[in-house]
Amino acid sequence: MQTVNVIRGRVTGPTSVELEEALPPGTRDVEVWLRVGSPVAAESEQDVFSFLRGLPAGLRDRADIDSQIRSDREEWGER
């Protein structure tokens, strides 16, 4: 029976990989499948407000949202 372990790592040379965790005890032969991680883009460090401004407009208006909030609060009762 084959066991699959996912261990992250980084390529350190054309035929070398450095793993972040140790291999399971008794491991001898392995098959490596390479899934290249995405590079961290400078855009990913934007502040939360820039992110929110970039989102598309919602489909609900203020009155609809206020109505839902009132309804939810009425359901809470005296909790």
Side-chain angles (χ1 to χ4, degrees):
M1 178 172 76
Q2 289 184 334
T3 302
V4 175
N5 294 298
V6 177
I7 301 175
R8 296 187 181 275
R10 65 195 52 76
V11 176
T12 58
T15 59
S16 302
V17 176
E18 179 181 309
L19 303 176
E20 293 179 3
E21 301 173 34
L23 295 171
T27 301
R28 293 183 64 217
D29 297 325
V30 297
E31 179 178 306
V32 177
W33 292 27
L34 179 65
R35 184 174 64 201
V36 179
S38 301
V40 177
E43 290 180 40
S44 67
E45 297 177 7
Q46 66 184 338
D47 65 60
V48 68
F49 299 110
S50 297
F51 171 77
L52 291 174
R53 280 192 296 272
L55 292 175
L59 301 176
R60 298 174 64 193
D61 62 11
R62 180 179 178 155
D64 181 35
I65 295 169
D66 287 344
S67 173
Q68 180 186 353
I69 292 171
R70 270 193 304 280
S71 174
D72 289 345
R73 287 181 177 164
E74 288 170 3
E75 288 178 17
W76 295 344
E78 294 295 322
R79 291 190 216 179

